[in-house]
Amino acid sequence: MSTHEAPDRPSRTRLYLLLAPLLASSAANAKGAKKPAAVPLRGEQAEIESVLRELEYLRERVQALQGKYGRATGNAKIRFNYPACIEQLR
């Protein structure tokens, strides 16, 4: 070990001891801080709008099926609650 390295170690230790409380307090503050709400990206917003358009299409399609098959008689092979489906799609 050279004589140049020996004085450096105690100063490095002192530096760590001086910085430790500062680092600990900043870490404690970071835990309590609230993160800002995420802003949707343009791509995400476009995809959500696309899904909403598809849901609107499905609602219109189910309404058309209700008009076509909604008055089925009691002996129909398929029973479907069109009004409940339309309400859920709204």
Side-chain angles (χ1 to χ4, degrees):
M1 182 171 5
S2 71
T3 57
H4 181 66
E5 292 179 12
D8 191 31
R9 286 193 180 174
S11 65
R12 206 178 301 168
T13 304
R14 276 186 254 138
L15 179 63
Y16 292 145
L17 290 174
L18 290 172
L19 291 178
L22 177 64
L23 294 174
S25 68
S26 66
N29 288 339
K31 287 182 184 176
K34 291 184 180 179
K35 293 182 181 178
V39 177
L41 304 173
R42 290 188 190 271
E44 181 182 7
Q45 187 174 0
E47 288 184 36
I48 291 170
E49 289 173 358
S50 173
V51 168
L52 293 176
R53 282 192 301 274
E54 289 178 31
L55 285 172
E56 181 64 22
Y57 167 78
L58 288 174
R59 186 184 61 78
E60 291 172 358
R61 186 76 175 110
V62 171
Q63 283 178 326
L65 291 173
Q66 180 185 24
K68 186 174 181 180
Y69 300 110
R71 294 179 216 90
T73 60
N75 60 358
K77 292 182 180 180
I78 298 174
R79 289 184 166 187
F80 189 78
N81 190 344
Y82 290 102
C85 183
I86 293 168
E87 189 59 36
Q88 287 179 348
L89 290 170
R90 281 191 185 138

